[in-house]
Amino acid sequence: MLVSLIHGLLICAGLIVAIGAQNAFVLQQGLRREHAWLVAGVCALCDWLLIGLGVLGLGALIAQQALLMEVARWAGAAFLAWQAGLALRRALSPHALVAGGAGLASWRAALAATLAVTLLNPQVYLETLVLLGAIGAVQPSPLGFFIGAALASFGWFFGLVAAAGWLAPRLASPRVWRVIDALIALILAWVAWRLASGAMLP
């Protein structure tokens, strides 16, 4: 179970810890102390539900079909390699994560905005339902994989809120993101290689 948990933790962390609208939104709410814990909780809960549906639902169905599993394996490896390439390109031309935009006065507005920035991104479904689902379903312990992925999501979103004041000036530094994106590129490239070589499959 520990190996599966580590796989889930690393893969999800590599996918989630990247500059994007969702991370900028969570950081923004953390800095403003505007329904920040609600926002982090909704982001984490959406991840948990989608990853759980993938690992225990769609991923399990894919794992039962040899052809679909091969397609998911190579498509997943290609997708991770592409993401690693994007992270490497960001590391070579780093950008900052800067919170901005208008404030959200009510918790309903914050909830609606969080759901929109989380669920209206098609890539989230590819990453959670298909990619993480297919990999997680064939782990020695799918539950361990899910727990690891959930911990990565929980730690990142709640960590952004809890440390928003400390993180903001540092995440606004392109130099810091150069290091973060280089680490993301290494993790995703390693996972892509293990997936392509069959090391993460039974």
Side-chain angles (χ1 to χ4, degrees), residues 2 13-15 27 31 34 59 67 71-72 80 91-92 95 98-99 112-113 126-128 132 149 153 169 188:
L2 180 60
L15 291 171
L27 181 62
L31 286 171
E34 292 179 351
L67 178 59
V71 171
L80 287 171
L92 296 175
H95 301 279
V98 180
L126 175 62
E127 292 177 354
T128 55
L132 292 175
S153 176
L188 294 183

Side-chain angles (χ1 to χ4, degrees), residues 5 10 15 19 34 36-37 58 64 71 76 78 85-86 98 116 127 131 134 140 168 174-176 180 190 194 202:
L5 188 149
L10 288 177
L15 291 171
I19 295 175
E34 292 179 351
W37 297 108
L58 181 61
Q64 292 173 5
V71 171
L86 292 179
V98 180
E127 292 177 354
L131 180 59
R175 184 175 301 176
V176 170
I180 292 174
W190 175 76
R194 283 180 59 81

Side-chain angles (χ1 to χ4, degrees), residues 69-86:
M69 195 61 229
E70 279 297 297
V71 171
R73 171 190 169 191
W74 289 106
F79 177 75
L80 287 171
W82 175 59
Q83 290 292 314
L86 292 179

Side-chain angles (χ1 to χ4, degrees), residues 84-164:
L86 292 179
L88 180 60
R89 187 171 68 177
R90 290 195 304 267
L92 296 175
S93 302
H95 301 279
L97 178 60
V98 180
L104 299 170
S106 74
W107 69 267
R108 291 181 180 84
L111 176 61
T114 305
L115 290 173
V117 79
T118 301
L119 299 178
L120 295 183
N121 177 10
Q123 185 172 319
V124 72
Y125 300 102
L126 175 62
E127 292 177 354
T128 55
L129 289 174
V130 179
L131 180 59
L132 292 175
I135 296 174
V138 297
Q139 293 297 301
S141 173
L143 178 60
F145 182 91
F146 169 73
I147 292 173
L151 286 174
S153 176
F154 179 92
W156 176 250
F157 289 124
F158 281 90
L160 268 183
V161 169

Side-chain angles (χ1 to χ4, degrees), residues 43 52 61 131 181 183:
C43 288
L61 292 176
L131 180 59
D181 281 320
L183 290 174

